Amino acid sequence: MALKGRALYDFHSENKEEISIHQDEDLVIFSETSLDGWLQGQNSRGETGLFPASYVEIIHSGFSINHTDYSSSPAGSLSTQVSFYDSPSVASPARSGGGSGFLSNQGSFEDDDDDDWDDWDDGCTVVEEPRTGGLGTNGHPPLNLSYPGAYPSQHMAFRPKPPLERQDSLASAKRGSVVGRNLNRFSCFVRSGVEAFILGDVPMMAKIAETYSIEMGPRGPQWKANPHPFACSVEDPTKQTKFKGIKSYISYKLTPTHAASPVYRRYKHFDWLYNRLLHKFTVISVPHLPEKQATGRFEEDFIEKRKRRLILWMDHMTSHPVLSQYEGFQHFLSCLDDKQWKMGKRRAEKDEMVGASFLLTFQIPTEHQDLQDVEDRVDTFKAFSKKMDDSVLQLSTVASELVRKHVGGFRKEFQKLGSAFQAISHAFQMDPPFSSEALNSAICHTGRTYETVGEMFAEQPKNDLFRMLDTLSLYQGLLSNFPDIIHLQKGAFAKVKESQRMSDEGRMAQDEADGIRRRCRVVGFALQAEMNHFHQRRELDFKHMMQNYLRQQILFYQRVGQQLEKTLRMYDSL
């Protein structure tokens, strides 16, 4: 039976089996059973096809269901999310303020010891707090701090809590001098937990095992380099089967330079890691994984494209001073034993130093920074990133159109030219007494040469434009993360100004206002370090992108020139 649905995000189709949908668009969904994370339905324009299940919510009478698949969701790592906002008889935990409405079932993680390790994330179901606002930092569904028990992690309910203490005394609350909280409890500033961190409400852990240092560099704050740098290759995508050939998948050979043996990972393993990264690293622009595709997953061109983009993704991960040191990432790259894999996986999923708690791991410089100067620097980066995002999209559009011309238009035009030259040659052969065999042969060969040139044009994007588009796609993802990250800093600035005003009016002790300012410095230093790292990588990546494009263009036109010169010499002896 057909069901009503609504699009949560924009999705642009990339092949004839898929259809484009736009945020808030009404949809008809043919079945709520998804196939590898995809649903089939019809959009408001009458087009029928596939779209990601995680991009839509199914509307039933009284409540809506948002299918969120681990492998394709732009919103994060939940497998199924049920929203009761539309049901008048069920109170939202976010609205009621109670924690009893928050249910979590991680049974498939806890009971999978006997499962095939390739299927550890199949079938996981989590009933989570409903989401009506925007996404959190890095596109992840952020944590809601508006009811007790939701902080710092959804896994807290499954183990004894460690000794906790608040960062600041609660005496200020008794005096009624607490800085006001945002009315929009669904903003990423609130739901990421950064507001709670700024206000001193993030529980301090008894022991913090991991630390990440920020130091002052020539361009301002920067992440301290990984003391054990490494790289990792992504090679040999190989089609594998299981269940006697019923299920197929592609595995990739990963060879870290600091490990003795390679490991083999599927895309779903990359996707699991990606979702852990989003959950943990609040103020870092985590590179997006290559997108999934509903059909043609085993076609050679798609496999090659995904491999190229996974190589870029891996290069950005290993070069990031913070992400490269993440224990979950190291486990992903080095674990060979099935049992150890599952133990490390669960350990990563139960990590408490995620979201706002991740900010507790920072060691920042002692140098003074004027907050207004930091705000001005952030505003400059915000304008830059917006302009860069627009220009990257423009170049990507132009390059994509050029690829279509190479594969289609240019090849056809050169084929037409080649056929026309050969037609001239055939015409010249019609009157043998006046026919020059050498001239006819040369003209015919010229026609074949231009047909060859047309094929060369069709093949050339694999050498230059595809690689350019790979880099542009990666940066579109990185840039799309920054608006939310910058919003966190803006929210922190606002709290500092409000606390100082309250202190000046005698409604807050100065030491409490200083505490808010101190914690805002942590967020500010982290954002500046991330901005600095982004610029360093940008300069390197775009240098390599342009060098590769120009070198390949030069080689291409040299090969075309060689073909034409060889053909020209056929006329010299006539």
Side-chain angles (χ1 to χ4, degrees), residues 37-63:
W38 295 79
L39 292 173
Q40 186 175 29
Q42 186 178 76
N43 59 23
S44 60
R45 296 173 299 283
E47 299 168 336
T48 299
L50 300 170
F51 42 80
S54 59
Y55 281 54
V56 304
E57 61 178 349
I58 299 174
I59 303 172
H60 293 281
S61 57
F63 64 92

Side-chain angles (χ1 to χ4, degrees), residues 15-299:
N15 57 55
K16 62 183 181 180
E17 287 84 8
E18 301 166 359
I19 59 172
S20 297
I21 57 176
H22 303 289
Q23 186 174 358
D24 296 328
E25 181 179 2
D26 291 330
L27 308 169
V28 175
I29 298 172
F30 299 151
S31 172
E32 61 182 302
T33 302
S34 64
L35 176 63
D36 288 336
W38 295 79
L39 292 173
Q40 186 175 29
Q42 186 178 76
N43 59 23
S44 60
R45 296 173 299 283
E47 299 168 336
T48 299
L50 300 170
F51 42 80
S54 59
Y55 281 54
V56 304
E57 61 178 349
I58 299 174
I59 303 172
H60 293 281
S61 57
F63 64 92
S64 61
I65 296 179
N66 173 17
H67 287 271
T68 308
D69 176 50
Y70 232 178
S71 60
S72 61
S73 170
S77 60
L78 304 178
S79 294
T80 305
Q81 190 174 47
V82 181
S83 173
F84 295 91
Y85 270 84
D86 299 325
S87 175
S89 61
V90 181
S92 156
R95 292 177 178 175
S96 65
S100 60
F102 182 84
L103 305 176
S104 183
N105 174 13
Q106 295 284 351
S108 62
F109 286 161
E110 303 296 329
D111 302 326
D112 63 351
D113 285 357
D114 296 326
D115 294 345
D116 181 89
W117 85 288
D118 278 320
D119 284 331
W120 44 254
D121 61 347
D122 291 345
C124 167
T125 299
V126 179
V127 181
E128 174 71 90
E129 172 229 347
R131 172 167 52 85
T132 62
L135 301 179
T137 306
N138 279 330
H140 185 71
L143 196 60
N144 189 332
L145 298 174
S146 59
Y147 58 95
Y151 191 84
S153 159
Q154 66 188 31
H155 304 285
M156 291 281 288
F158 298 100
R159 63 183 181 281
K161 292 182 173 65
L164 304 175
E165 68 179 83
R166 282 174 148 3
Q167 295 184 61
D168 286 343
S169 168
L170 294 180
S172 61
K174 297 176 182 178
R175 296 195 302 269
S177 60
V178 177
V179 172
R181 297 179 180 275
N182 285 23
L183 293 178
N184 180 9
R185 306 309 293 166
F186 299 102
S187 73
C188 66
F189 178 58
V190 176
R191 298 188 58 173
S192 65
V194 174
E195 181 192 54
F197 172 79
I198 294 295
L199 297 181
D201 290 341
V202 174
M204 290 291 292
M205 303 298 170
K207 181 180 179 181
I208 299 178
E210 56 183 311
T211 59
Y212 302 98
S213 297
I214 300 171
E215 57 190 15
M216 294 301 292
R219 296 184 180 182
Q222 62 185 28
W223 299 114
K224 186 176 181 180
N226 185 346
H228 306 289
F230 67 97
C232 181
S233 63
V234 181
E235 303 171 297
D236 300 338
T238 306
K239 187 175 181 180
Q240 307 280 354
T241 59
K242 58 194 300 185
F243 304 135
K244 297 182 178 181
I246 295 176
K247 188 172 184 179
S248 300
Y249 59 90
I250 301 295
S251 71
Y252 298 86
K253 177 184 176 182
L254 311 183
T255 310
T257 55
H258 63 352
S261 303
V263 295
Y264 295 85
R265 298 289 184 257
R266 296 171 57 181
Y267 182 86
K268 67 191 298 183
H269 302 144
F270 280 92
D271 199 59
W272 170 82
L273 172 63
Y274 176 66
N275 280 284
R276 300 325 306 163
L277 295 167
L278 294 183
H279 194 56
K280 182 176 179 69
F281 296 103
T282 314
V283 293
I284 291 178
S285 180
V286 178
H288 291 200
L289 280 174
E291 292 182 354
K292 293 197 74 176
Q293 183 167 303
T295 58
R297 290 178 298 156
F298 302 113
E299 293 178 0

Side-chain angles (χ1 to χ4, degrees), residues 11 51 74 76 150 156 224 229 356 409-410 434 540 570:
F11 170 73
F51 42 80
M156 291 281 288
K224 186 176 181 180
F410 292 164
F434 298 94
L540 181 65
M570 295 184 68

